[in-house]
Amino acid sequence: MPVQWTISKPHRLVIAVARDELRLADVEQYLDGVAIADVLPYRKIFDMTHAAVMLTDADMMVLGARIRAYLEVSKLGPLAIVAVTQRAYEQASLFQVLAEGDRPVKIFRELHQAREWLDGFDTDSR
């Protein structure tokens, strides 16, 4: 499975790690899992450090539209994206623009920086 995630309900945190080739269906499956688990408002890390990003600009538009649809029905928690390659960083930047909404999204080159940033958000907010 290219995207594996864990949910910490006590910390209101979702950590997703992408591996191998990351495609649209993989991200959609992750999003479905997060929605079904009812953790959209949680803080999230999406780590693409060990993934080859195979998402096209059209794929990113689909994901952006999906996130905007989620925003219509739920509050979304802050999202930290870890992107170490230039391609992953560019795709994450495009996602950040296309999925613009009422929640903080920031891109990092290192996981520890992403976690530090997320730790600055209140975990008790709903």
Side-chain angles (χ1 to χ4, degrees):
M1 174 187 269
V3 180
Q4 295 180 327
W5 64 92
T6 59
I7 299 168
S8 171
K9 291 201 178 215
H11 295 107
R12 298 182 54 79
L13 177 67
V14 178
I15 299 175
V17 178
R19 297 194 186 285
D20 303 323
E21 292 184 347
L22 180 65
R23 299 186 184 278
L24 177 61
D26 305 318
V27 179
E28 289 179 324
Q29 184 178 18
Y30 158 74
L31 291 172
D32 288 344
V34 169
I36 290 167
D38 196 26
V39 295
L40 289 172
Y42 284 22
R43 299 169 302 142
K44 293 171 201 68
I45 292 176
F46 196 91
D47 182 359
M48 298 187 296
T49 301
H50 302 289
V53 178
M54 309 301 285
L55 299 163
T56 66
D57 289 352
D59 293 340
M60 299 309 292
M61 291 177 66
V62 167
L63 292 174
R66 187 169 183 164
I67 297 301
R68 288 191 308 276
Y70 284 145
L71 285 164
E72 297 284 325
V73 296
S74 178
K75 180 180 178 193
L76 300 183
L79 171 64
I81 302 170
V82 182
V84 296
T85 68
Q86 188 59 32
R87 168 89 174 135
Y89 196 92
E90 289 168 1
Q91 291 301 94
S93 297
L94 181 57
F95 174 82
Q96 186 177 27
V97 170
L98 295 172
E100 184 179 13
D102 185 22
R103 72 138 168 199
V105 176
K106 193 165 179 181
I107 305 163
F108 297 88
R109 295 283 187 176
E110 296 185 22
L111 180 60
H112 76 275
Q113 292 173 332
R115 183 61 192 257
E116 286 175 4
W117 179 73
L118 279 182
D119 284 347
F121 290 91
D122 182 10
T123 60
D124 293 328
S125 64
R126 302 220 183 255

